[in-house]
Amino acid sequence: MEGTQLLKCVLYTWGANSYGQLGQGHSEDQAEPRRADGGLQAEQTRCMAGGGGHSAVITESGELLMCGQNHKGQLGLSHTSEVITFQPCPLTGCSRVQQVSCGWDFSVILTGDGQVLVCGSNAFGQLGVSPGITHSAEPLHVKTLNEPVTSVAAGLRHALASTALVLTFSSAGFDHVTPQKVVAGSTHCICLTVKGDVFLWGSNKHGQLVSESLFLPLPVALDRSLLQGERVTDVHSGWTHLVAKTESGRVFTWGRANYGQLGQTSQRGRIVSWGWNEHGMCGDGSLCDVTQPRPIPRFRDATALLIGCGSGHSMALCSLKSNEDSAS
Amino acid sequence: MTVFHDEVEIEDFEYDEETETYYFPCPCGDRFAITKEDIENGEEVATCPSCSLIVKVIYDKEQFMCGEVIEAPKTSENKLELAQS
């Protein structure tokens, strides 16, 4: 049959849902993805963001939809009641929304013409408006940003905005940088430049800034040699960890790791083997060639200190846990 | 003993006058909570009602703890009498 095939786009949400932030029309936590397009048209979604208890979605035509917790007016709907399906956020004098970022209990909206609108809690000045305003259920215009903004980000209690104009940093020998995007963690900040450099500042409590200091008050450039000299093409952040994609398509993660958020297992001292295995030299108990590096099961709980290979045999010096049978 | 998700200073908590409770965001979307009374009693653990995570609350115990009620001393004349007798 002739004609173009239309891809149907479906929005799925899952996880915590006490405030209806999944937009599924109820407030039960969901352990598996379920469709959340009740309030949405069959349009494609171009941007989506989640805050502490609320969600925001921008459609292809630039309409902003919000749902979830709304006690501080973070949904920008001019009221403070919870919403359990995605509702359009009417923005007067704004035809299109370009980007949205959700903080803990506030939202930062970037319009098509580079203006920034904010709503929700201002308890820590995160809205960038008069400190006399404690919170706002109506999106407020951030007037002090008088240049077109190209990227916004929201952390737990802070917000960032970058413009297309050249910035000057006073440290690290970089005089002029052009921001590509800004990203916020819970208490840290990231700026990715068009040249592919990553600047980091804020809290380094969990090593997310790759620094020896606990806190960086000024942007510091990430050492590119850590990424094998590659340019960074995109960067994202969770509360306390970072994910960066480089020009070769590789993905690097760093920061807090205790819940497995870096997607890496601890590699230190682990013994892996691969290759010819006719005499069992790969040590996996079989005589079949091993095509990909695989851990040797026998050494699962051991730490290798030294390894060596002969022609058809392998050796490893390990330190075992004290309750292991050292004779085996 | 359960491992703390994090250690948070009391200054970073948001205080709610109505509930007399200190709150701090929890990664699950709810908030770690510890009451003013708990703090005054030297309690150091803030719990989340929606998940298993807990945080240690960092504060100067001397500054916050006031669990005892100390009665005002009686008039000073009595004391003088005692000293003289």
Side-chain angles (χ1 to χ4, degrees):
Chain A
M1 191 171 86
E2 273 193 349
T4 52
Q5 208 175 17
L6 282 174
L7 286 174
K8 188 175 181 205
C9 294
V10 180
L11 178 65
Y12 289 92
T13 56
W14 64 98
N17 193 29
S18 312
Y19 312 108
Q21 61 264 51
L22 298 188
Q24 294 177 11
H26 62 82
S27 49
E28 299 286 313
D29 287 2
Q30 296 291 303
E32 283 181 0
R34 253 181 71 176
R35 291 174 68 131
D37 51 5
L40 299 166
Q41 309 302 318
E43 259 191 275
Q44 199 162 345
T45 306
R46 70 196 304 264
C47 175
M48 58 178 92
H54 67 296
S55 307
V57 152
I58 302 174
T59 66
E60 199 56 56
S61 61
E63 194 183 21
L64 175 65
L65 301 158
M66 307 269 238
C67 71
Q69 194 178 29
N70 194 25
H71 65 308
K72 299 286 184 182
Q74 56 263 55
L75 302 188
L77 302 173
S78 301
H79 64 78
T80 49
S81 303
E82 194 175 281
V83 169
I84 58 176
T85 54
F86 281 100
Q87 299 292 320
C89 182
L91 300 168
T92 51
C94 163
S95 56
R96 203 174 62 85
V97 174
Q98 188 185 145
Q99 192 210 335
V100 62
S101 190
C102 299
W104 177 252
D105 49 5
F106 68 104
S107 308
V108 184
I109 302 157
L110 179 61
T111 68
D113 59 356
Q115 308 279 307
V116 176
L117 301 168
V118 290
C119 57
S121 170
N122 193 37
F124 300 94
Q126 59 265 57
L127 297 190
V129 297
S130 159
I133 298 170
T134 56
H135 62 281
S136 177
E138 271 150 24
L140 303 173
H141 180 221
V142 183
K143 297 191 177 81
T144 45
L145 293 167
N146 47 22
E147 289 151 9
V149 169
T150 52
S151 174
V152 292
L156 268 194
R157 295 165 171 173
H158 72 290
L160 303 167
S162 62
T163 64
L165 295 182
V166 173
L167 296 180
T168 306
F169 289 107
S170 59
S171 62
F174 285 95
D175 289 337
H176 305 283
V177 289
T178 306
Q180 181 184 318
K181 75 188 271 196
V182 283
V183 177
S186 60
T187 45
H188 65 270
C189 306
I190 309 160
C191 178
L192 173 64
T193 70
V194 295
K195 284 188 180 168
D197 289 305
V198 176
F199 285 87
L200 306 163
W201 67 100
S203 166
N204 189 38
K205 198 172 173 186
H206 299 279
Q208 60 267 53
L209 306 186
V210 196
S211 165
E212 285 180 7
S213 313
L214 266 182
F215 179 83
L216 290 178
L218 291 172
V220 172
L222 178 67
D223 181 358
R224 241 196 228 189
S225 69
L226 296 170
L227 305 172
Q228 282 142 40
E230 292 184 34
R231 281 176 39 223
V232 173
T233 53
D234 205 357
V235 66
H236 298 274
S237 182
W239 275 47
T240 42
H241 73 289
L242 280 81
V243 182
K245 185 169 143 189
T246 61
E247 53 190 329
S248 66
R250 268 190 280 199
V251 174
F252 290 83
T253 61
W254 67 94
R256 191 167 179 177
N258 66 325
Y259 299 115
Q261 54 268 58
L262 300 190
Q264 309 163 8
T265 50
S266 172
Q267 304 272 347
R268 208 162 283 181
R270 201 170 63 136
I271 308 177
V272 295
S273 64
W274 65 98
W276 189 39
N277 198 21
E278 190 170 334
H279 294 281
M281 53 280 230
C282 285
D284 67 343
S286 81
L287 301 178
C288 301
D289 291 354
V290 179
T291 53
Q292 277 183 359
R294 286 246 134 81
I296 297 174
R298 178 64 185 80
F299 295 134
R300 191 188 53 198
D301 295 325
T303 307
L305 302 170
L306 211 57
I307 54 171
C309 295
S311 293
H313 64 291
S314 316
M315 298 162 281
L317 177 71
C318 305
S319 69
L320 303 174
K321 285 190 182 153
S322 57
N323 57 359
E324 273 229 8
D325 178 10
S326 55
S328 62
Chain B
M1 195 192 89
T2 325
V3 173
F4 288 114
H5 161 72
D6 206 349
E7 293 182 1
V8 182
E9 291 175 21
I10 191 77
E11 292 83 12
D12 290 338
F13 279 73
E14 264 185 286
Y15 184 67
D16 185 340
E17 300 273 355
E18 267 183 46
T19 57
E20 291 198 319
T21 304
Y22 292 90
Y23 294 104
F24 188 81
C26 174
C28 78
D30 204 323
R31 298 176 296 181
F32 295 110
I34 184 164
T35 63
K36 180 162 153 254
E37 196 186 330
D38 283 337
I39 296 279
E40 286 167 354
N41 289 330
E43 182 59 60
E44 285 183 324
V45 181
T47 58
C48 175
S50 295
C51 76
S52 65
L53 298 183
I54 58 170
V55 292
K56 186 173 178 187
V57 185
I58 308 295
Y59 63 97
D60 182 0
K61 288 199 174 166
E62 278 179 24
Q63 197 185 347
F64 282 89
M65 279 178 75
C66 56
E68 294 175 24
V69 172
I70 300 161
E71 285 191 7
K74 294 196 168 100
T75 54
S76 54
E77 280 120 12
N78 291 340
K79 281 197 176 168
L80 279 170
E81 280 180 332
L82 282 166
Q84 283 167 8
S85 65

